[in-house]
Amino acid sequence: MAMLEEFKKFAMRGNVIDLAVGVIIGGAFARITDSLVKDVVMPPIGAVLGGLDFANYYIPLNNQGYHLPLAEAQKAGAVLAYGNFLTILLNFILLAFIIFQMVRVINRLRGPAEEAKPAAPVTPEDIVLLREIRDSLKK
């Protein structure tokens, strides 16, 4: 029973719940960004580069399937799917940029960071005592 209580205490900590919420929201946000890249950004880029679906750009490695869609070419043999890789790379760059912008806004809302001023060095007690003795001898 002690392990169950310990696990319950661990699971109900705030940071575990915050992590779970972050993972769920992050997954949903990743799907939104994926849709943005696939459905909004890549079609114009594909149109400029020849009117094809950019995600279907590939090089077959077995000399078969040059004119097949990517999914069918992958069934026919090994392919180097560079278009799909570039789409995922662009997805990552956009996601990283959006997160960067969110962190910048949050940092601005928090206000200017208080610069840690170096504390005045603490003078050892024996030095303070010696200074007091010196000052009293001068008087």
Side-chain angles (χ1 to χ4, degrees), residues 85-127:
F85 173 75
L86 292 176
T87 302
I88 291 172
L89 180 65
L90 182 62
N91 188 359
F92 171 76
I93 291 170
L94 282 174
L95 184 63
F97 180 73
I98 290 169
I99 290 172
F100 169 71
Q101 293 299 327
M102 289 171 50
V103 169
R104 284 183 63 206
V105 168
I106 290 170
N107 287 339
R108 284 187 185 153
L109 292 176
R110 286 185 182 168
E114 295 180 21
E115 295 179 18
K117 295 179 182 174
V122 178
T123 308
E125 286 185 42
D126 57 342
I127 300 294

Side-chain angles (χ1 to χ4, degrees), residues 3-49:
M3 187 186 336
L4 184 60
E5 290 296 321
E6 189 177 345
F7 177 73
K8 182 178 177 183
K9 188 176 178 182
F10 168 77
M12 290 308 186
R13 267 196 225 158
N15 54 357
V16 173
I17 294 171
D18 291 343
L19 178 63
V21 169
V23 167
I24 292 168
I25 290 175
F29 190 71
R31 281 185 267 153
I32 290 170
T33 307
D34 187 45
S35 174
L36 174 70
V37 170
K38 286 182 181 176
D39 302 330
V40 177
V41 175
M42 293 311 286
I45 292 173
V48 168
L49 296 176

Side-chain angles (χ1 to χ4, degrees), residues 24-81:
I24 292 168
I25 290 175
F29 190 71
R31 281 185 267 153
I32 290 170
T33 307
D34 187 45
S35 174
L36 174 70
V37 170
K38 286 182 181 176
D39 302 330
V40 177
V41 175
M42 293 311 286
I45 292 173
V48 168
L49 296 176
L52 298 173
D53 181 14
F54 196 69
N56 281 325
Y57 287 1
Y58 65 91
I59 298 171
L61 299 177
N62 60 357
N63 294 328
Q64 295 178 0
Y66 271 103
H67 303 290
L68 298 174
L70 178 61
E72 292 179 24
Q74 287 175 329
K75 290 177 186 176
V79 295
L80 182 66

